[in-house]
């Protein structure tokens, strides 16, 4: 099955700096790559996603890039703010509902 | 709020107890999911229901028994659990199986003594 690896496991950044989280996947048939944000005491919430026919997608301060050849995708958060502190999960999907998740990155934004 | 609610939020049970977790979605979705979230591990898909029919049982031990009486409600019945079953159990829903976007509830933090 699909194997998704996520790095780093923890990330501390100064407020205003950028944060980058990287994920690799094993199955070249994967075609959907969502990113979820999980705040303390809450369930994961989708923040951005990308499909395999697109190389980059932006939504305000967050962006995701996909390199199908290398089988990796990344989440970029610019101008980080304290409310960006959370656990972020990447995932990859070969088909429909089956999401294979990474182990998560705990992001801490220092004021 | 994501439109997916879970009760209880916290549960402590002994290994011989029987308890149930409840999930309700107010989004008009047709597919519902149970995930197990353990510390520092990827989310593990446990069960998937579509239009009240189970379509996925991801090799989950029989001490976990799901029930989906209608498309808005999903239960996870627990009996004779083990301490290693302690985790956060997340419910999610999506419009359909072909819809990748899943909406998660806040989870039930389960502790098995």
């Amino acid at each position: 099955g699909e194997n998704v690896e996520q790095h780093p496991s923890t990330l501390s950044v100064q407020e205003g700096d950028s944060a980058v989280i990287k994920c690799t996947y094993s199955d070249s048939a994967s075609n959907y790559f969502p990113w979820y944000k999980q705040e303390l005491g809450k369930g994961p919430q989708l923040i951005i996603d990308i499909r395999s026919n697109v190389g980059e997608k932006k939504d305000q301060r967050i962006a995701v890039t996909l390199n199908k050849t290398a089988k990796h995708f990344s989440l970029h958060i610019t101008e980080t703010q304290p409310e960006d502190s959370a656990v972020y999960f990447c995932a990859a999907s070969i088909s429909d509902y089956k999401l294979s998740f990474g182990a998560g990155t705990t992001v801490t934004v220092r004021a | 709020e994501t439109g997916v609610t879970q009760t209880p939020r916290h549960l402590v049970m002994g290994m011989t107890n029987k308890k149930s977790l409840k999930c309700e979605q107010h989004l008009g979705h047709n597919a519902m999911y149970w995930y197990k979230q353990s510390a520092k591990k990827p989310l593990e898909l446990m069960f998937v229901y579509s239009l009240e029919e189970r379509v996925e049982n991801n090799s989950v031990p029989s001490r976990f028994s799901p029930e989906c009486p209608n498309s808005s409600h999903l239960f996870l019945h627990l009996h004779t659990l083990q301490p290693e079953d302690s985790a956060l159990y997340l419910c999610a829903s999506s419009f359909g199986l072909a819809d990748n976007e899943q909406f998660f509830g806040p989870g039930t933090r389960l502790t098995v003594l």
Side-chain angles (χ1 to χ4, degrees), chain B:
Chain B
E1 294 298 327
T2 63
V4 181
T5 59
Q6 291 187 243
T7 54
R9 294 293 309 275
H10 301 271
L11 178 62
V12 179
M13 59 187 289
M15 290 190 284
T16 58
N17 292 158
K18 289 185 179 181
K19 297 286 184 183
S20 295
L21 311 184
K22 179 183 176 182
C23 174
E24 183 174 2
Q25 57 94 2
H26 311 273
L27 301 168
H29 289 168
N30 293 315
M32 297 188 77
Y33 312 78
W34 280 117
Y35 285 88
K36 177 182 180 182
Q37 185 176 28
S38 303
K40 306 298 182 184
K41 287 186 177 181
L43 274 69
E44 300 172 49
L45 181 63
M46 300 175 70
F47 301 104
V48 181
Y49 277 82
S50 175
L51 297 171
E52 299 127 57
E53 281 195 30
R54 190 191 310 178
V55 299
E56 181 90 21
N57 177 345
N58 207 17
S59 302
V60 180
S62 59
R63 57 186 184 268
F64 295 91
S65 176
E67 178 189 3
C68 188
N70 55 63
S71 59
S72 298
H73 293 85
L74 185 64
F75 294 88
L76 188 62
H77 304 298
L78 316 171
H79 63 97
T80 59
L81 294 191
Q82 304 298 311
E84 58 265 29
D85 296 322
S86 298
L88 182 68
Y89 288 84
L90 292 162
C91 173
S93 70
S94 66
F95 188 76
L97 291 181
D99 186 354
N100 295 117
E101 184 172 359
Q102 295 179 19
F103 293 78
F104 285 84
T108 295
R109 173 66 63 186
L110 174 67
T111 302
V112 181
L113 301 177

